[in-house]
Amino acid sequence: MIKKFIDKLLGKSGAAGAGGKNRFGKRQEVPASVHGIDPQLVDERARNVVTTLQGAGYEAYVVGGAVRDLLLGLRPKDFDVATNATPEQVKSLFRRAFIIGRRFRIVHVVYGRGREHEVIEVSTFRAYMDSAGAEQVAGNERTSKGELAGMKHAVDASGRVLRDNVWGPQEEDAARRDFSVNAMYYDPASQIVVDYHNGIKDAKKLTLRMIGDPATRYREDPVRIIRAIRFSAKLAALGFSLEPKTAAPLVDCSRLLADVPQSRLFDEMLKLLQTGHAVATVAQLRRLGLATGIYPLLDVIVERADQPFVKAALQDTDRRVGEGKPVAPSFLLACVLWADVRDGWAQRIEGRHGQRPQSSFPALQDAIDDVFNARIGDVSGRGKLAADMREIWMMQPRFEKRSGATPYSLVEQARFRAAFDFMRLRADVGEVSEAIAEWWQEFSSSSDEIRRQDLLDQVRDEQHKRTRQRAPARTAAPAAAPANGDAEQALPPDGELAATAPRKRRRRRKPRTGGEAGSSIAAE
């Protein structure tokens, strides 16, 4: 007992856990003959970052989920690198490198430009620091920004880590990572995997296991709850499952997310939906009892995931990610919230609930504002994401007009493709005519002006044909009037009255020399 007390005073209490077990694990160097990683799957730019750091005298490894995917024979989409070089030392070695973050300071090494650019994220090995050895602040990450500015390692009253920028050895860096399968280090030069927490064994067992006590780790950083959901959903197709001890505290610990900044939760929600496993994520949230309570907008997505339109959007997002195509959060969120916009738009036009009826365009604008205020609020809801969502929604009525200059101006809009894809999904679920979707598909993809004019003429001819088909009913109505003089029974529908009157006035002014087609064009 006295020895433990002295060790604690000297800062040695973190070296071993209950029963004398080393919390940092035992270093195992696993050769290629055992782990079987194919070096051809390693991105050349990640290899270059590791080689450059090692050439400068530093330790450097590919780390995290990339190593896990390599062990499974998959080609990772993202590569992270861990090193004992500080962020400033890393930055000095690369022409295009940027230090980012406050909570965790890391370096982004950038290759390429524009949409083809790739970022290799480089982090410095961090020391394992428990709450007892950290500086404490009274507020949270949002309310204590000024106090946190000069701190390297800080926690709030609940034990949640607000700053973690104390550098340490690799064994401690491995211990502070979340899952064992994400805590391995791969050296592309020697092809050795360094494993401290039996990550290779868990990968073979298809198990997601939290390093250390799960409840404590979730309390240190509640966002680990969302990461547990994301990784389990991503790896479910490969047969992975959460270890029971790792899954058990998730529901009880989810209340800790209330203290996480809303902007961070919003970003984590987007990661859940945009990594190619949105459908699996919804299923996992329901399975784990977390369908509600993580983030209000995510609650809406889970609730509506079985609706045909939202389900189609989630599936389409997964498909695009799987094909290596870009996805935008604005599109998926616009799909999820479309029912709110559509219903609010109709209510304003019809003047329901005591409202004064509005014309279509301002009614749609006001309905969109209502949805932003109710569903998104101030978190990313007034920036580019909101602007893109608004454009997608505002373009929908314009697809109904396929005459004059409207089609030409619409296809030139920056967000036309997103708005068209949105309308295409609406057609897939029967909300829009399939013929309209196919017409816009051909018009937008055609570079032949003659073909485009043919498409416009086709719409005009169809409109004229419908007008001619209605014409006999309008002219025959007076003759078919009942003998009792009840003229109302013989009147055409209200929508045709306006078209009927002008035709009668024209016939009184001049002889019919232009034929039915000429009359129809004027009526149009």
Side-chain angles (χ1 to χ4, degrees):
M1 180 70 71
I2 295 175
K3 184 178 185 302
K4 289 183 179 180
F5 177 72
I6 293 174
D7 285 344
K8 185 175 182 181
L9 289 177
L10 295 176
K12 297 180 180 180
S13 59
K21 184 179 179 180
N22 185 357
R23 69 163 59 178
F24 301 137
K26 181 181 178 181
R27 180 185 176 98
Q28 301 177 61
E29 294 189 356
V30 183
S33 59
V34 175
H35 61 65
I37 288 177
D38 181 359
Q40 297 300 316
L41 296 176
V42 180
D43 185 274
E44 189 59 39
R45 286 158 287 202
R47 191 191 304 274
N48 177 263
V49 170
V50 172
T51 302
T52 300
L53 287 164
Q54 291 177 343
Y58 301 110
E59 296 178 61
Y61 302 83
V62 172
V63 70
V67 182
R68 178 199 66 226
D69 290 349
L70 289 169
L71 282 170
L72 297 172
L74 306 175
R75 186 180 297 276
K77 292 183 178 179
D78 301 300
F79 282 84
D80 296 338
V81 170
T83 177
N84 63 347
T86 66
E88 289 77 14
Q89 290 169 333
V90 174
K91 185 177 185 300
S92 69
L93 295 174
F94 299 92
R95 185 171 61 87
R96 297 182 64 206
F98 309 91
I99 298 175
I100 67 166
R102 293 194 184 111
R103 189 170 182 273
F104 300 114
R105 294 180 69 225
I106 58 178
V107 180
H108 278 181
V109 179
V110 182
Y111 290 87
R113 296 185 182 277
R115 289 187 176 182
E116 302 302 319
H117 82 285
E118 181 177 351
V119 173
I120 305 299
E121 190 170 284
V122 184
S123 61
T124 303
F125 294 152
R126 286 177 170 80
Y128 191 101
M129 303 281 287
D130 60 24
S131 299
E135 298 177 271
Q136 289 198 357
V137 297
N140 56 39
E141 190 171 0
R142 179 172 54 84
T143 61
S144 305
K145 284 185 177 180
E147 191 177 355
L148 287 168
M151 297 182 180
K152 291 185 176 180
H153 184 231
V155 298
D156 63 14
S158 70
R160 184 164 66 95
V161 179
L162 305 181
R163 284 288 187 275
D164 188 5
N165 291 305
V166 180
W167 318 134
Q170 185 187 45
E171 63 176 10
E172 295 189 24
D173 185 74
R176 56 162 297 282
R177 294 181 180 271
D178 43 24
F179 299 99
S180 61
V181 294
N182 291 342
M184 295 176 285
Y185 305 77
Y186 175 65
D187 181 356
S190 65
Q191 296 187 38
I192 286 176
V193 170
V194 179
D195 183 6
Y196 290 91
H197 299 281
N198 295 316
I200 292 179
K201 182 179 179 181
D202 285 342
K204 289 182 179 178
K205 292 194 303 180
L206 304 178
T207 298
L208 277 171
R209 177 176 59 85
M210 181 69 71
I211 298 171
D213 175 60
T216 301
R217 302 307 303 279
Y218 294 141
R219 189 163 53 251
E220 289 173 349
D221 183 6
V223 169
R224 286 189 176 124
I225 295 167
I226 303 178
R227 287 170 61 83
I229 297 165
R230 176 154 57 92
F231 288 130
S232 60
K234 175 181 179 179
L235 299 173
L238 299 175
F240 273 78
S241 61
L242 282 169
E243 179 204 36
K245 289 182 180 179
T246 298
L250 284 173
V251 174
D252 288 341
C253 289
S254 62
R255 58 183 175 78
L256 299 171
L257 290 166
D259 293 328
V260 177
Q262 293 291 291
S263 58
R264 189 176 178 210
L265 287 179
F266 186 85
D267 291 340
E268 291 295 331
M269 178 194 72
L270 296 183
K271 290 179 184 178
L272 285 176
L273 302 173
Q274 293 191 274
T275 54
H277 310 280
V279 174
T281 294
V282 170
Q284 189 72 333
L285 285 165
R286 291 170 173 170
R287 188 179 303 114
L288 294 171
L290 293 167
T292 61
I294 290 182
Y295 187 69
L297 189 52
L298 183 60
D299 294 350
V300 176
I301 294 170
V302 176
E303 177 188 344
R304 299 179 178 180
D306 294 329
Q307 296 178 4
F309 186 55
V310 176
K311 184 177 182 179
L314 292 170
Q315 292 172 336
D316 188 64
T317 299
D318 287 349
R319 176 188 60 79
R320 289 183 63 87
V321 173
E323 295 175 356
K325 297 178 180 179
V327 292
S330 55
F331 182 86
L332 181 56
L333 294 182
C335 291
V336 171
L337 298 178
W338 171 241
D340 295 342
V341 172
R342 183 191 59 212
D343 294 347
W345 183 20
Q347 288 176 8
R348 288 179 173 277
I349 290 176
E350 297 171 9
R352 299 181 204 165
H353 308 302
Q355 294 179 333
R356 178 177 297 177
Q358 293 179 267
S359 56
S360 180
F361 187 79
L364 179 54
Q365 286 184 311
D366 289 345
I368 291 171
D369 288 339
D370 289 345
V371 170
F372 281 146
N373 293 332
R375 297 297 193 186
I376 298 181
D378 294 329
V379 182
S380 300
R382 294 294 183 265
K384 184 179 185 301
L385 180 139
D388 290 347
M389 291 171 67
R390 184 182 294 273
E391 284 191 61
I392 289 172
W393 287 330
M394 293 300 297
M395 284 188 195
Q396 297 310 301
R398 299 180 64 186
F399 286 111
E400 299 292 335
K401 186 176 181 181
R402 295 176 291 157
S403 60
T406 297
Y408 289 98
S409 62
L410 193 57
V411 296
E412 296 299 324
Q413 298 293 320
R415 299 297 300 167
F416 169 79
R417 180 49 55 181
F420 170 77
D421 289 343
F422 187 92
M423 186 267 290
R424 174 76 261 182
L425 280 182
R426 292 175 64 207
D428 290 343
V429 299
E431 190 177 311
V432 175
S433 165
E434 183 71 25
I436 291 179
E438 292 178 354
W439 187 93
W440 278 102
Q441 173 69 49
E442 187 167 0
F443 186 88
S444 62
S445 61
S446 176
S447 58
D448 185 353
E449 286 303 318
I450 295 178
R451 178 54 186 155
R452 283 187 167 185
Q453 187 58 52
D454 287 344
L455 290 168
L456 292 172
D457 292 343
Q458 171 189 325
V459 173
R460 185 189 61 191
D461 292 344
E462 290 173 355
Q463 292 172 340
H464 292 170
K465 182 178 179 180
R466 287 196 296 269
T467 302
R468 287 195 297 270
Q469 289 173 345
R470 290 196 299 267
R474 286 195 290 267
T475 56
N484 62 9
D486 189 0
E488 287 187 9
Q489 299 298 322
L491 289 175
D494 291 343
E496 296 182 6
L497 286 173
T500 304
R503 291 169 62 87
K504 291 180 179 179
R505 287 197 297 271
R506 269 198 308 278
R507 285 197 294 270
R508 287 197 297 271
R509 289 192 188 108
K510 60 183 179 180
R512 290 177 58 187
T513 58
E516 288 292 333
S519 298
S520 299
I521 293 174
E524 292 293 331

